[in-house]
Structures are given as C-alpha cells and as structure tokens.
Amino acid sequence: MEKLLYVTANPKGIEKSKGLKIGEAFLESFQQERPDVEIKKMDLFSLEFPQMDADLVSARGKLAGYGYTLDQLSEIEREKILKMHALANEFISYDYFVFVSPMWNLNSPAILKAFIDNLFIAGKTFAHTVNGPKGLLTNKKAIHLQTRGGQYTGTPMEALESGDRYLKIALRFLGIEVMDSVITEGFDINPLKVPEILATGQENARLAAKEFIRNPVTI
C-alpha cells in the first residue's frame, strides 16, 4: 500500500489557521481520488525530534567522516543520532509528502528547517559521488502548500521569500520529485477579502491534489 505523509508546521490549529484549512482541502481531494493510499498526519509543533546541537553535529561527523562506530559515541550522542535515523527511516517509508506551512519573516517556521535537518544523512538519503551529491529518495513526490500575509508573487518582494525556495531545493537534493507549490497570499494586506482568498486557495489545493496524483510514483 502506498503512503502519504502530511507534515504541518503551524501551531494555531485548524480552527484558526488558514493554511491548515487549505491543507485539509488538498487532503480531501486526494482521498477522493486515491482512497487506497494510507495517510499519516505529522504536526511538527507536537513532535519531539533531535535538534542540530553540539551532540548531534559531533555524532554525525564522527560516524560519517572519522570512522567511529555507534559504540564509540558518548551515550548522549548515540541517543540523539539513533533518534535522527529513526525519524529519517520513517520518512523514507512514505511515497508522497505534503508540507503545509506559513511564511514567517520571509521564511518557513524554524521548526520545519529543524525537521528537514534530520533527513540529511549521507548513505541513507543521499550519497557522495565523484560527480557530487546524489539524492537517494527517488520515486517519491512532494508538494508544499504555503500561506503568506503579504503579496510576493510578481512583485519586487518575491526574491526575498526563502521558505518555499529552500524546502523545494532540500527535497530535490534528496532525490524527491517536487511539484509546483500552492501559494496563497495577501491575507494581511486584504483583510476584507480573506474569505475570498481562502476559498481560492482551497480550490487551488484541490486542483493541485488531482495533478499531484495524476502520475503515480513507481514502487
């Protein structure tokens, strides 16, 4: 059975979050077309996972470049690196990925970057080759649904947005096929049009879900 991981990075909850409402519209459309796909929701603000602190950076470096074994790591290093690998292993088990996040201060919430950091493991999700790094997570697809308070698309501000750009770069680096993002923006500068903007975002998400599953991944 194919599986989809639905990753959200918004602490508001669906009652207050416009982005999560758009995300649910995507899921509903996806499920109508592919009821056979197993879906798991992962709320990053309620998930405990390792941060790239001194212990984890040290452990990863020792294992990847200095020939250490797990037994040679300190207890805290071993604990954190095993949690990192467990999270990456779970991620790898999915075929489809949907990321839902707002744009905060020109980027995604920091917790999304911290999550992605756990997926960069040489020999597991990418490999070093004579021609440079090569992503190992092939035959997988991802899409990002992002909400923005301001208007960035088609304006001089567009070049300042780095959250959606980074996420797509990171996922492609790992070998994942990344579809065009669903961007819904202008909520803060057009408060009277919020219901209209939200409805448009939800419809765009539904259409994107149909496109997302048009060409199934190859197992």
Side-chain angles (χ1 to χ4, degrees):
M1 174 182 288
E2 291 182 315
K3 300 193 299 180
L4 180 148
L5 183 62
Y6 179 76
V7 182
T8 61
N10 195 312
K12 293 181 179 180
I14 192 168
E15 293 302 321
K16 296 182 179 180
S17 169
K18 302 176 222 24
L20 294 182
K21 289 183 174 68
I22 292 171
E24 286 296 320
F26 181 98
L27 277 189
E28 290 171 4
S29 180
F30 184 94
Q31 288 179 302
Q32 287 175 1
E33 300 291 331
R34 291 295 307 276
D36 57 306
V37 175
E38 177 184 339
I39 295 175
K40 177 178 178 178
K41 294 184 177 181
M42 180 180 286
D43 173 11
L44 297 186
F45 279 94
S46 64
L47 181 70
E48 291 187 10
F49 56 88
Q51 305 291 315
M52 291 298 292
D53 58 12
D55 297 319
L56 191 53
V57 170
S58 175
R60 194 171 69 164
K62 288 176 180 178
L63 293 176
Y66 294 95
Y68 281 63
T69 66
L70 275 174
D71 292 338
Q72 292 174 309
L73 301 181
S74 70
E75 182 177 350
I76 189 63
E77 287 176 339
R78 186 164 54 251
E79 177 185 344
K80 291 182 179 181
I81 199 71
L82 287 175
K83 287 182 178 179
M84 181 185 201
H85 277 260
L87 183 61
N89 287 339
E90 179 181 3
F91 186 86
I92 291 169
S93 72
Y94 289 87
D95 307 289
Y96 303 98
F97 307 98
V98 179
F99 291 86
V100 183
S101 72
M103 186 179 79
W104 287 356
N105 304 321
L106 307 180
N107 210 319
S108 296
I111 198 166
L112 180 54
K113 171 62 165 59
F115 173 78
I116 296 297
D117 281 341
N118 282 268
L119 307 180
F120 276 66
I121 304 176
K124 184 184 292 287
T125 59
F126 74 97
H128 294 293
T129 75
V130 294
N131 297 316
K134 177 182 179 181
L136 300 179
L137 305 188
T138 56
N139 298 326
K140 299 178 185 295
K141 295 175 69 172
I143 190 169
H144 183 208
L145 315 182
Q146 187 193 59
T147 48
R148 305 170 181 173
Q151 186 73 38
Y152 289 78
T153 304
T155 77
M157 293 290 289
E158 187 168 13
L160 302 181
E161 194 287 325
S162 56
D164 178 62
R165 184 181 299 112
Y166 166 75
L167 181 61
K168 289 188 289 189
I169 289 172
L171 296 175
R172 285 171 178 153
F173 178 92
L174 298 177
I176 299 171
E177 179 186 356
V178 183
M179 310 301 290
D180 290 339
S181 300
V182 176
I183 307 298
T184 310
E185 56 191 346
F187 288 107
D188 293 344
I189 60 176
N190 296 294
L192 296 180
K193 294 185 177 180
V194 166
E196 178 184 338
I197 296 171
L198 176 58
T200 299
Q202 289 175 311
E203 180 58 25
N204 288 338
R206 294 186 187 99
L207 294 174
K210 296 180 185 300
E211 181 67 24
F212 189 63
I213 60 180
R214 186 161 296 169
N215 299 306
V217 294
T218 303
I219 304 301

